[in-house]
Amino acid sequence: MTSSWIPPSFTLRQLAYLVAAAEAGTIAQAAERMHVSPSTMSDAITELERLLGTRLCVRRKSQGLTLTSAGDRAVADARRLLRDAQELQFALGTTAGELVGPLAIGCYPTLAPTVLPPLLSAFSTAHPQLDITVTEATQDLLVELLDSGRIDVAFVYDVQLPARVHRTKLFELPPHILLAGSHPLAREPFVRLEQLADEDFIMIDSPPSSTHMRSIFDARGITPRVRHRTQNPDVVRTLVGRGLGYGMLIQRLFDYSGATGFPVVMKDIVPAVPPLAVDLAWSTELPLTSRTEAVVAFARAVAWPEIPAVPET
């Protein structure tokens, strides 16, 4: 029986050059990443446009490369084809049950100290032939990276995630207050937000954490007096330790500030505030690879930190 399947006139290499150019924004940068000359890459994309019969991008020296609507579609489809081709290569080149190849993990920065150690130790040890890379980024950027296939999974907070992102809940963390060790409330078992309403607030300003915190204050009818904003939780701890204000964080990390002479203490909030769930997310529009399935199963099995319940009164 003669096959009716007709091979395409374009090549995977041409598709790879188009995707690289779209991600880099310029032919020159993309060519450098792909270790080819700019003219080679430019000619390949031009030939791809000729074979497809449509313009895929607009190239301007001063403004870089901009995809057309057809180019957007081509890049999205090209990523899937390249991903499938790569998976075929891995599948045929490895023994059954063996995990080999790249695994790109995304992580919201404040979650990294909690979720990365078990992944880069126990999981990596169990699958030594995996090439694991980690990208720390804001939540909106992590969703974009999932959509494009540039990362396979992402550890995120379960806030403002689009429906097209599938997720599995790993654990929950209630926010807590940070106070200087010398603060008058430092010896109290719990803290009410109303007790801090007139004090300076050191705010972690990185969505979705900041969005969640604002909702907590709004629910109590409190407008915090923000003295400083930062995306770095260590900056919050440092400034709080020096008595410059109080802070609110979600992640409960070991604190080294006592060694510097500026200790901080963590205090649960009463009445209890809603906890924030930590999820492992992946794209519903891309097929799961065996590597992605393995990291999802591992994350579900990890004994993530359990935070004691906070009194409601």
Side-chain angles (χ1 to χ4, degrees):
M1 180 181 294
T2 302
S3 173
S4 60
W5 185 81
I6 300 175
S9 55
F10 55 83
T11 67
L12 291 178
R13 185 177 299 276
Q14 290 170 327
L15 295 180
Y17 286 168
L18 175 65
V19 172
E23 292 178 351
T26 68
I27 294 290
Q29 291 182 17
E32 184 177 355
R33 294 179 187 177
M34 299 291 284
H35 305 290
V36 298
S37 68
S39 60
T40 296
M41 178 167 286
S42 181
D43 291 345
I45 293 175
T46 298
E47 177 64 9
L48 179 62
E49 290 178 317
R50 186 188 70 80
L51 293 170
L52 295 177
T54 186
R55 191 171 190 179
L56 302 175
C57 58
V58 178
R59 287 168 265 182
R60 299 186 180 94
K61 290 184 178 180
S62 59
Q63 299 178 356
L65 178 144
T66 303
L67 294 177
T68 63
S69 57
D72 280 329
R73 169 67 186 274
V75 167
D77 290 344
R79 286 194 178 109
R80 293 183 178 87
L81 288 172
L82 293 168
R83 183 186 178 96
D84 289 344
Q86 188 180 57
E87 289 306 308
L88 175 62
Q89 183 176 359
F90 289 136
L92 296 178
T94 59
T95 58
E98 186 179 30
L99 294 181
V100 178
L103 177 63
I105 296 173
C107 187
Y108 187 75
T110 60
L111 292 173
T114 299
V115 303
L116 293 187
L119 283 172
L120 299 182
S121 56
F123 184 75
S124 181
T125 299
H127 305 288
Q129 296 194 66
L130 285 180
D131 179 16
I132 300 176
T133 59
V134 178
T135 298
E136 295 182 39
T138 58
Q139 194 137 313
D140 54 347
L141 179 55
L142 289 175
V143 170
E144 290 181 15
L145 295 175
L146 286 174
D147 285 341
S148 67
R150 283 176 283 176
I151 60 174
D152 299 298
V153 295
F155 290 86
V156 294
Y157 287 115
D158 192 7
V159 176
Q160 300 175 331
L161 290 176
R164 66 181 181 278
V165 174
H166 192 73
R167 81 289 301 267
T168 182
K169 178 180 172 181
L170 302 178
F171 57 95
E172 290 184 337
L173 294 173
H176 61 277
I177 293 295
L178 279 186
L179 299 174
S182 58
H183 194 280
L185 299 175
R187 295 185 179 276
E188 297 294 326
F190 308 105
V191 171
R192 296 179 181 274
L193 292 182
E194 290 79 4
Q195 294 175 284
L196 301 169
D198 295 329
E199 299 188 23
D200 289 336
F201 180 46
I202 311 299
M203 182 177 181
I204 188 79
D205 194 13
S206 180
S209 295
S210 53
T211 304
H212 185 64
M213 290 177 190
R214 280 194 292 268
S215 69
I216 293 172
F217 283 108
D218 289 344
R220 303 287 175 89
I222 298 172
T223 301
R225 194 170 73 186
V226 179
R227 177 171 181 175
H228 184 72
R229 301 173 187 269
T230 177
Q231 295 186 346
N232 189 337
D234 287 331
V235 173
V236 175
R237 294 185 184 90
T238 302
L239 297 182
V240 168
R242 291 178 179 270
L244 299 178
Y246 69 97
M248 182 187 293
L249 295 178
I250 298 172
Q251 285 294 304
R252 301 188 175 217
L253 308 177
F254 184 79
D255 177 59
Y256 297 93
S257 60
T260 66
F262 300 98
V264 298
V265 294
M266 295 185 300
K267 296 296 174 181
D268 289 320
I269 304 169
V270 292
V273 298
L276 198 56
V278 175
D279 293 352
L280 181 63
W282 60 93
S283 174
T284 58
E285 299 179 358
L286 296 173
L288 288 180
T289 66
S290 57
R291 299 183 300 280
T292 305
E293 291 176 341
V295 74
V296 170
F298 176 83
R300 285 172 171 163
V302 170
W304 298 108
E306 295 184 5
I307 305 302
V310 181
E312 296 289 341
T313 57

